[in-house]
Amino acid sequence: DARILSGMQPTSDSLHLGNYLGALTSWVGLQDSYETIYTVVDLHSLTVATDPQLLRERTRRTAAQYLAAGVDPSRSALFVQSHVPEHAQLAWVLSCHTGFGEAARMTQFKDKSARHGNDATNVGLFTYPILMAADILLYDAALVPVGEDQRQHLELTRDLAQRFNARFGQTFVVPEPHIVRATAKIYDLQEPTAKMSKSASSPNGLIELLDDPKVVAKRIRSAVTDAEREIRFDPVAKPGVSNLLTIHSALSGRTVAELEQDYAGRGYGDLKKDLAEVVVGFLEPFQERVHGYLDDPASLDDVLAEGAERVRVVARETLARVYDRVGLLPAR
Ligand code: ATP
Ligand code: MG
């Protein structure tokens, strides 16, 4: 089977509904047809200053949310990036094959460094895409499910793999982006033309998977809609209502067309009330599962240790191949 790799950063206490509907649900489905590897990329999250105790906590919480969503450790390798040191080791070698100008062109770096200023921007943020390339190339991943925001980084990964192969002989699999058609893009409840985002959305714009259901219901009731009354899917003219329909459809399994019929002649209040019920109905058992994992951290850590054990075999082989190709003297 082709191998798939993906990951999320442990940068918040809870994932949001965009992470779930846009990524996690497709990760779960991919387990049926591919060899899947899912990681919590904690090394990446060091680019954002975080309290050490909180980072450990968020790493477990992120893993628990993968599991609660349906990532199955008997079918997928689930591990924490820092538990496999080869990620950082391969990133160093790749960084020596990345042009400074090439890295400086990454738009995510340009955006983030412009926002924070030069002195508040660390070098890790600059080399972040190289670490991401290492994550992917270590496992010969053929496919990488990515959102639009990660496309440029994947392009860099492909360039690095091709360059290395051309110089040292066939070493890396050149990965393809895996675009999952059926997944939804979810927008900010308060600003429905911007994507729902851990770092950019205001609290009221977010539906966080681990939030109190009462808070979630309230946020849905106060979601921005428009001055008309008609419930119709039209992302350009009616981004707020369309976003609510997308979320409803994704969680209830009803098509958007069916929903439009159901709500013909009814008001936004009805839609919001029903949607709140649908979302809360999903969240309650989800949260129960997450807390089940978090209440037993020893078992969770066992799952993560077993995942790391499985992938380490491949990671070691790849790194040894790379060290050999570039001429590092083997240790004995
Ligand atoms: P940040 O704001 O810190 O970048 P994020 O909310 O964008 O956080 P990521 O950890 O960058 O979350 O993304 C994890 C995964 O979730 C990625 O696969 C990304 O494409 C997907 N994703 C993020 N936001 C959305 C969204 N609003 N709708 C659909 N998918 C999303
Ligand atoms: Mg993002």
Side-chain angles (χ1 to χ4, degrees):
D1 285 5
R3 203 175 272 155
I4 287 230
L5 177 130
S6 201
M8 296 191 198
Q9 298 189 68
T11 42
S12 66
D13 290 339
S14 172
L15 299 176
H16 57 70
L17 205 58
N19 299 136
Y20 179 77
L21 295 175
L24 273 179
T25 51
S26 73
W27 289 12
V28 171
L30 291 167
Q31 297 180 120
D32 297 333
S33 333
Y34 298 96
E35 183 188 337
T36 39
I37 302 179
Y38 297 125
T39 172
V40 180
V41 288
D42 58 344
L43 294 174
H44 282 279
S45 71
L46 293 179
T47 57
V48 182
T50 310
D51 170 73
Q53 187 50 43
L54 186 59
L55 177 57
R56 273 188 282 273
E57 165 81 21
R58 286 175 169 177
T59 299
R60 283 206 185 101
R61 287 170 82 102
T62 303
Q65 290 172 88
Y66 291 1
L67 291 167
V71 168
D72 171 2
S74 71
R75 293 191 291 161
S76 294
L78 166 56
F79 74 102
V80 175
Q81 183 189 30
S82 64
H83 294 178
V84 183
E86 284 80 1
H87 288 253
Q89 294 174 296
L90 179 59
W92 171 255
V93 177
L94 293 176
S95 74
C96 297
H97 292 87
T98 309
F100 186 85
E102 187 177 30
R105 278 196 295 276
M106 295 294 118
T107 55
Q108 179 175 293
F109 173 75
K110 288 197 280 190
D111 291 349
K112 290 193 174 171
S113 57
R115 227 181 305 144
H116 302 137
N118 251 349
D119 288 338
T121 300
N122 58 65
V123 175
L125 201 58
F126 186 71
T127 56
Y128 181 110
I130 302 171
L131 181 57
M132 175 169 157
D135 298 338
I136 297 164
L137 299 181
L138 258 188
Y139 301 106
D140 294 333
L143 295 170
V144 184
V146 281
E148 214 37 63
D149 51 336
Q150 294 304 316
R151 204 183 262 278
Q152 195 187 26
H153 292 166
L154 189 66
E155 208 41 59
L156 176 69
T157 303
R158 291 169 50 83
D159 289 345
L160 288 175
Q162 280 160 346
R163 184 176 310 154
F164 196 99
N165 288 347
R167 177 148 181 214
F168 298 105
Q170 180 58 40
T171 307
F172 294 123
V173 171
V174 181
E176 300 285 339
H178 181 80
I179 311 299
V180 186
R181 265 158 292 126
T183 56
K185 181 166 176 188
I186 306 301
Y187 294 86
D188 186 310
L189 296 180
Q190 289 299 315
E191 207 185 315
T193 50
K195 78 162 200 117
M196 190 177 283
S197 149
K198 282 187 249 146
S199 56
S201 293
S202 69
N204 285 333
L206 281 171
I207 298 178
E208 288 179 298
L209 302 180
L210 300 181
D211 254 346
D212 179 348
K214 286 199 200 71
V215 172
V216 172
K218 195 165 152 216
R219 285 184 187 170
I220 292 171
R221 283 198 304 275
S222 45
V224 165
T225 45
D226 55 58
E228 291 181 17
R229 313 179 43 106
E230 201 191 348
I231 296 177
R232 152 171 75 81
F233 187 79
D234 182 344
V236 176
K238 301 170 75 72
V241 174
S242 303
N243 190 38
L244 300 180
L245 287 169
T246 301
I247 296 171
H248 194 312
S249 166
L251 291 177
S252 68
R254 298 179 62 74
T255 65
V256 167
E258 285 168 349
L259 291 172
E260 284 176 331
Q261 283 196 340
D262 288 354
Y263 287 101
R266 296 165 66 196
Y268 294 159
D270 281 359
L271 172 63
K272 288 175 170 181
K273 184 169 154 293
D274 293 350
L275 178 62
E277 263 173 46
V278 168
V279 173
V280 168
F282 155 71
L283 286 183
E284 280 173 344
F286 180 86
Q287 294 183 357
E288 216 167 291
R289 291 196 295 276
V290 171
H291 289 118
Y293 292 114
L294 292 178
D295 287 344
D296 185 2
S299 299
L300 180 59
D301 291 354
D302 282 346
V303 167
L304 296 172
E306 202 240 326
E309 199 60 47
R310 271 164 66 186
V311 299
R312 212 175 271 136
V313 180
V314 182
R316 277 203 193 114
E317 257 175 39
T318 308
L319 189 74
R321 191 162 78 226
V322 168
Y323 273 20
D324 177 65
R325 292 284 154 86
V326 299
L328 299 177
L329 182 68
R332 48 167 290 184

